[in-house]
Amino acid sequence: MGRHLEELLRREPGKEHRHPHRPPSEKTTLTLGRSDLALGGGHTTEITTLAPRGDRDLVLARLAEPATDITPVPLATSAAEKGEVVNVVGFGRTADQWVPTKRHTSGFTVTDATATEVNLDAKSESAICKGDAGAPVLRTKDGKTELVGIASRSQQGTCIGEYDETRTGAVATRVNDILLGSRLTAARRLDTGDILVSASAQLTMKSDGNLVITSNAGKTLWSTDTAGNPGAFTRLSKGNLMVRNAADTTTLWESKTTAADGQAVLTDRGNLVVYNTQNQSLWSSNTVVRNDINGDGRSDIGAWYDFTAGSDATYTFFGQGDNGTLSAPYKSYTAPVGEWDARYMKFVSGDFNGDGRSDMAMLRGYSDASVKAFVALGKTDGGFATPVQAWSSPAGGPFHYSYMTPQAGDFNGDGRDDMAVWYAGADGTTKLHTFTTKTNGTFNTPVASWSAPKGTWLRSSTKFVTGDFNGDGREELGVYYDQGGNGMKTYVFTTQPGGTFASPTPWWETTLKWDQAIPQAGDFNGDGHDDTLIWYDYADGSDKTSTMLFEKVDGQNRFGSAKLTLNSSGGFDVKRLQLATGDYNGDGRDDLAIMNHQSDNAVKMWTWTARPDALFNGGQAGWASNPGAWVYTSTKLVNTYHTGN
C-alpha cells in the first residue's frame, strides 16, 4: 500500500474531504490474492480513483481492471458485538520485522462499537502496526467468513520500533452498513456519508442533507439544493428518486419519475440516471463532462492532423485550471504515410465504450464505394489509441460515404455514446440511422428510424448539434434548418429508449441568416438541460454569440429567446476559426473554445468560460504556435456533432 494512501486511510474520522473524489496523487498499485508479496500470483492492477467517505475513516478505491479472478469476502450485514472474536489480516510491521512480505493474522476481541467504529483489544501479544491501515477485519459467523470492518488506527504496543508503548488497543471502521458500487435500488437508501462512485463522478449524501455530484476535478457538478436538513436521506420509491427529511415526513427534492421498479445509476460517463426495469432511462442529472479524454474532470479537445507529407496524427489540447485555458497539443497516435486520407474522413467524439474517457470515431470512404467506421479509444494519459475498425459497409451496399453525416451522443441512454448518421440519399430522400455501441466501443448494425420523402429536407440547408435537451438521459439531435432567405428554424429529434429518432418538432426560430451562423450545444447555465447557441458573423465585421436556454412553457419543451452572451467587436474571422464546446474548467457549466488562425499564420487557442447566468467571461488565451509552425488547414477539431459535408 502506498504511503499517501495509508495516510488517507489514517485521517481523522468524520472529516469531509475538500476534494472528495479524485485519482491518487501518485501511481498506486493494488495486489490481491497473494499471501507472500515476494512471490507471484494473484491480481495486480492500478487504482484509478479514491473516494473517501465523509462520515467515517474509509476510502473506496476504484480499480483500473476488475478482479474477476478473486472471490471477495462478503460484507457483514450486522455490526460486530461486544465479546466477539475477530481476526485482522495484514502485511504491516510485526514485533520483530520492519517490512514483512508474508501475510500475518492477529486475533482481537471486540470491546464495544459505535455507529461507525468498532473498538478492539488484542487477544495476545500482537497488535495492528504501521502498514496495517486498511487491513480487513474478519469474523466467522454460521461457519462463513465475512468482512466486519477495516483497520483504522491503533496504539501499536508490541510493534517493532514502539518500545515505550505497551497498549494494544485498536479501532476499526464499520462496513456492515455501507453502500458499495454505483447503483441505488429500492431495497437500499443513501444515508449521511453514503456514496455512489463511478469512473467520472461521485454522488454523496452530505451531512447537511444535500445530495451532491462531484467530478474528478473536485468540483460540484449538480446538487439537490437541500442543505439545511441534517439527517436527510435519499431513496428510490416506485421509480421516483427522492431526498426525504430525517423524520421521513417531507420530500425535499424528487426526480418526478414513475416506474414499477428500477434503479438509479451513476454511470461511468458521470450521469446520474433513473432507469425502469426495462433499463430505459427516465431522468438524468446531465452531468457528463463531455470530451474529457484524460479523466481529470475537465473537457479536452481532440484533433486529427493531416501532415503535408502524407502521414496523420492525433493530438489533444487539455483543459486546465479554473480559467479553462487549453494546453499545448499532446501528440499520441501517429500513422505511417498513406495509412489515411483525411479528405475522405468525417469525425465525431464520444465515450463509445462508456469508460468515462472520450474517444474519437471516424467514417472513411474508399474508392470502391465501401465505407468503414473506426474508433480510437481515449487513454489514461489523454492520448488516443490506434484506431480499430468498428463497422463496415461493402461496395454496392446500402451506405455511401458522400451521403453520410455522423453525429454522436448516448441516444439509447445505456451509458455509452452512440453514432447517428443523417443519410441524404442520392434519390433526394433523408433517413436517420442509429449505430448503438458495444462495450468495446465498436458499433452494432445500424437501425433506421425517421425518414423524409424526396425534396423535403436538404442536407445543404442543415447544421447539427446534439445534447440531452429534455433531461431524460438520452441525447437528442438538433437541426438548424435554412428557411430559404427567411431566417432559420431549430428542430429537435427526440430519441426513443432503443436509440431511434422520433419525428422532429420546432423549438426555436429567428430571422438571422443561416449561412452566417455556426451552432453549438452544451449546458451553459448548469441546470441539467443542454442548451444551444450560435456564433454569428455580422456584416459589420463583429462576431457575437447568442444562447438559447432550454425552457418548458405550458408543458412544451423549447429553446428560449436568444440571449446575447458574447460580444466581440472584431479580431476574429469566422472563416479562420474552429469552435468546440466543453466544460474546460470543470465547474459543471459548458464553455466555448476556438482554434483561431491568426493573420501572422500562427494558431492560438481561446477559451470563454460560462457564468451561472450563461453569459461568457472574457476570453482566455491558451497555447499559441509560432507563425507557420502549425498548419491550421491540416487540423480538424473533433466534436460530438459534425456540421461539415
Side-chain angles (χ1 to χ4, degrees):
M1 180 182 301
R3 180 172 56 85
H4 65 289
L5 179 57
E6 183 178 344
E7 289 172 352
L8 258 179
L9 291 166
R10 292 172 60 86
R11 69 178 177 84
E12 185 179 348
K15 291 291 184 70
E16 291 190 344
H17 283 266
R18 188 165 59 92
H19 300 298
H21 173 245
R22 58 180 174 81
S25 58
E26 302 173 15
K27 181 178 179 179
T28 305
T29 302
L30 181 71
T31 301
L32 297 171
R34 189 183 300 176
S35 60
D36 190 338
L37 297 178
L39 303 177
H43 180 91
T44 301
T45 185
E46 286 189 32
I47 292 176
T48 61
T49 308
L50 298 175
R53 285 181 61 102
D55 65 331
R56 65 191 71 190
D57 189 13
L58 185 68
V59 178
L60 302 182
R62 185 178 182 86
L63 308 184
E65 298 177 358
T68 56
D69 52 342
I70 303 293
T71 302
V73 176
L75 292 182
T77 57
S78 61
E81 298 179 355
K82 183 177 181 179
E84 275 194 304
V85 175
V86 296
N87 290 313
V88 179
V89 183
F91 290 87
R93 296 179 186 179
T94 65
D96 55 7
Q97 287 184 294
W98 289 97
V99 187
T101 62
K102 293 184 178 181
R103 182 178 65 200
H104 48 266
T105 302
S106 299
F108 289 81
T109 301
V110 176
T111 58
D112 59 67
T114 68
T116 59
E117 294 182 333
V118 177
N119 293 317
L120 307 173
D121 194 22
K123 290 183 62 180
S124 59
E125 292 187 3
S126 60
I128 294 175
C129 300
K130 288 184 177 179
D132 285 326
V137 180
L138 307 172
R139 75 175 175 193
T140 301
K141 187 174 183 179
D142 299 328
K144 297 180 180 179
T145 301
E146 57 186 21
L147 182 69
V148 75
I150 297 292
S152 173
R153 55 199 186 276
S154 75
Q155 294 167 318
Q156 302 189 66
T158 76
C159 299
I160 190 171
E162 303 292 338
Y163 304 115
D164 296 329
E165 181 61 74
T166 59
R167 295 171 298 173
T168 58
V171 177
T173 299
R174 282 178 53 177
V175 297
N176 63 284
D177 58 344
I178 67 170
L179 187 66
L180 294 178
S182 58
R183 300 171 185 268
L184 177 68
T185 64
R188 294 296 302 266
R189 72 183 205 180
L190 292 174
D191 289 305
T192 296
D194 278 337
I195 59 178
L196 300 180
V197 182
S198 76
S200 300
Q202 176 176 315
L203 178 73
T204 305
M205 190 70 238
K206 295 284 192 176
S207 58
D208 62 3
N210 205 12
L211 184 66
V212 177
I213 297 176
T214 51
S215 71
N216 284 351
K219 301 288 187 71
T220 297
L221 301 178
W222 173 90
S223 79
T224 53
D225 292 325
T226 49
N229 294 278
F233 62 92
T234 299
R235 74 172 176 217
L236 187 69
S237 177
K238 297 181 180 179
N240 190 23
L241 187 66
M242 301 181 291
V243 176
R244 299 276 291 176
N245 68 340
D248 199 13
T249 57
T250 304
T251 296
L252 305 174
W253 174 90
E254 60 183 330
S255 62
K256 298 180 180 179
T257 48
T258 303
D261 206 344
Q263 59 184 338
V265 180
L266 187 66
T267 69
D268 280 342
R269 295 175 71 233
N271 264 349
L272 177 64
V273 184
V274 176
Y275 293 97
N276 62 17
T277 52
Q278 289 76 44
N279 211 32
Q280 298 170 341
S281 60
L282 305 175
W283 172 89
S284 168
S285 61
N286 197 22
T287 45
V288 173
V289 180
R290 295 184 180 93
N291 296 320
D292 182 5
I293 304 169
N294 62 355
D296 68 349
R298 297 178 179 86
S299 295
D300 311 303
I301 300 178
W304 185 276
Y305 194 89
D306 182 25
F307 288 94
T308 54
S311 62
D312 297 81
T314 57
Y315 288 89
T316 305
F317 299 86
F318 297 109
Q320 304 175 115
D322 291 338
N323 59 8
T325 56
L326 291 159
S327 72
Y330 169 64
K331 187 178 183 181
S332 49
Y333 165 71
T334 302
V337 173
E339 181 78 12
W340 304 96
D341 190 339
R343 295 175 300 172
Y344 306 108
M345 298 171 68
K346 299 171 183 177
F347 302 88
V348 286
S349 62
D351 184 4
F352 300 112
N353 63 351
D355 66 352
R357 294 189 297 274
S358 185
D359 315 306
M360 184 185 297
M362 57 215 74
L363 287 175
R364 181 178 179 182
Y366 292 84
S367 58
D368 64 355
S370 63
V371 185
K372 293 181 181 179
F374 296 85
V375 171
L377 296 177
K379 302 193 300 182
T380 55
D381 64 357
F384 292 97
T386 301
V388 298
Q389 184 175 313
W391 170 83
S392 66
S393 177
F399 291 93
H400 191 285
Y401 169 82
S402 300
Y403 309 138
M404 303 173 73
T405 305
Q407 317 297 332
D410 185 3
F411 301 121
N412 63 355
D414 67 352
R416 298 187 299 273
D417 279 323
D418 313 301
M419 182 173 68
V421 166
W422 179 280
Y423 196 81
D427 60 357
T429 62
T430 303
K431 187 174 289 187
L432 273 170
H433 299 265
T434 305
F435 297 66
T436 58
T437 47
K438 304 174 185 178
T439 55
N440 64 358
T442 61
F443 299 114
N444 291 305
T445 301
V447 176
S449 52
W450 173 84
S451 63
K454 179 179 179 179
T456 54
W457 286 77
L458 300 177
R459 172 62 185 89
S460 58
S461 296
T462 56
K463 295 176 181 177
F464 302 94
V465 291
T466 58
D468 186 3
F469 305 119
N470 61 10
D472 66 354
R474 300 186 299 272
E475 278 153 294
E476 293 84 47
L477 177 66
V479 174
Y480 278 75
Y481 198 77
D482 186 4
Q483 297 298 296
N486 296 313
M488 56 184 161
K489 187 177 290 188
T490 304
Y491 293 89
V492 171
F493 295 74
T494 58
T495 46
Q496 309 300 321
T500 55
F501 291 89
S503 297
T505 56
W507 280 36
W508 183 76
E509 60 182 311
T510 180
T511 57
L512 293 173
K513 294 182 179 180
W514 176 87
D515 58 356
Q516 293 174 223
I518 302 178
Q520 299 287 298
D523 186 1
F524 301 114
N525 61 352
D527 69 347
H529 291 271
D530 281 317
D531 317 298
T532 65
L533 66 74
I534 53 172
W535 178 291
Y536 198 78
D537 181 28
Y538 285 87
D540 63 1
S542 65
D543 290 79
K544 301 176 183 179
T545 66
S546 294
T547 300
M548 288 65 72
L549 299 175
F550 169 85
E551 62 182 27
K552 179 172 284 192
V553 178
D554 297 328
Q556 298 297 312
N557 296 328
R558 70 180 191 185
F559 296 125
S561 300
K563 179 179 183 179
L564 182 64
T565 49
L566 177 65
N567 188 352
S568 172
S569 59
F572 295 109
D573 181 350
V574 72
K575 300 179 182 63
R576 296 173 64 88
L577 59 83
Q578 297 182 50
L579 290 91
T581 56
D583 187 3
Y584 301 112
N585 63 353
D587 66 355
R589 296 184 298 274
D590 282 314
D591 313 308
L592 182 64
I594 65 170
M595 172 182 277
N596 186 45
H597 187 195
Q598 300 185 157
S599 58
D600 63 355
N601 210 26
V603 168
K604 181 179 282 190
M605 308 299 290
W606 288 88
T607 307
W608 292 266
T609 57
R611 299 174 2 191
D613 59 2
L615 299 182
F616 290 108
N617 293 306
Q620 296 289 324
W623 170 80
S625 74
N626 292 323
W630 183 278
V631 181
Y632 174 82
T633 55
S634 295
T635 311
K636 174 59 183 176
L637 299 189
V638 182
N639 209 338
T640 54
Y641 34 86
H642 180 95
T643 298
N645 293 323

